[in-house]
Amino acid sequence: MSFPDKRLAARLVLGPMAAMALVAAVVSCSSDDSSSVGAVAAGSCVEVGDNTADAMKATVGDCSSAKSNYRIVRVGADCAADNAAFNGTVGDAKNTLCLAPNFAEGSCYADAGKRPAKAVDCTAAGASFKVVKRIDGQTDELLCGMDATQFRTVPDPKTTFCMAKP
């Protein structure tokens, strides 16, 4: 003897549940999101501790901290010309990031070309510039004043870094 109405009821209940489970699995496994990877996301800040080309290391930090010297602009490769390229580990995860400066006023850095600059003591032999003034909320190099010999502006969030030799 067959009970077709019970099979139909099971199909009506289990079918949509299986479809929802499939959609959830596809969404959670999608790796095409270029704005975040794990705990690393665009807009977050990192402290770059090692900027060696083959062994870059960073930790996620608070953007208001002087130690968090870079803000993540983009998770992934193909950085804009004015962003530093990071290819290394953040925490325990391997990441490729595009970074914009989040330098602290009064701090010194060793320039590393397209790699992130490393925070160093101002008396260190490798110190190449000091941030003499940081202006949040504006991108105007004319605000730097006479003690700055170079500048860097970041569009988002609007920031002007006025720099000079250490």
Side-chain angles (χ1 to χ4, degrees), residues 5 19 31-32 40-41 55 58 64 78 95 99 106 122 128 157-158 160-161:
D5 55 331
S31 62
D32 192 31
V40 178
S64 63
D78 300 325
N95 287 280
L99 304 174
C122 289
S128 53
K158 290 182 178 182
T160 301
F161 299 100

Side-chain angles (χ1 to χ4, degrees), residues 61-101:
D62 180 6
C63 290
S64 63
S65 168
K67 290 186 174 198
S68 295
N69 50 358
Y70 279 91
R71 183 178 302 269
I72 301 170
V73 175
R74 185 168 182 269
V75 177
D78 300 325
C79 295
D82 57 345
N83 291 330
F86 177 92
N87 189 11
T89 57
V90 179
D92 294 332
K94 184 95 168 131
N95 287 280
T96 301
L97 308 171
C98 297
L99 304 174

Side-chain angles (χ1 to χ4, degrees), residues 80-164:
D82 57 345
N83 291 330
F86 177 92
N87 189 11
T89 57
V90 179
D92 294 332
K94 184 95 168 131
N95 287 280
T96 301
L97 308 171
C98 297
L99 304 174
N102 188 43
F103 299 143
E105 186 171 314
S107 294
C108 292
Y109 300 88
D111 192 10
K114 290 300 292 174
R115 294 189 324 251
K118 185 175 180 184
V120 295
D121 189 69
C122 289
T123 59
S128 53
F129 65 92
K130 177 178 183 173
V131 178
V132 293
K133 189 175 188 182
R134 175 184 169 141
I135 306 162
D136 292 315
Q138 297 184 51
T139 55
D140 185 359
E141 67 273 11
L142 298 176
L143 298 172
C144 285
M146 298 302 289
D147 55 342
T149 57
Q150 55 185 337
F151 66 91
R152 170 79 195 272
T153 59
V154 175
D156 187 24
K158 290 182 178 182
T159 312
T160 301
F161 299 100
C162 308
M163 302 173 287

Side-chain angles (χ1 to χ4, degrees), residues 21-37:
L22 179 62
V23 168
V26 168
V27 168
S28 68
C29 291
S30 174
S31 62
D32 192 31
D33 181 11
S34 63
S35 65
S36 69
V37 174

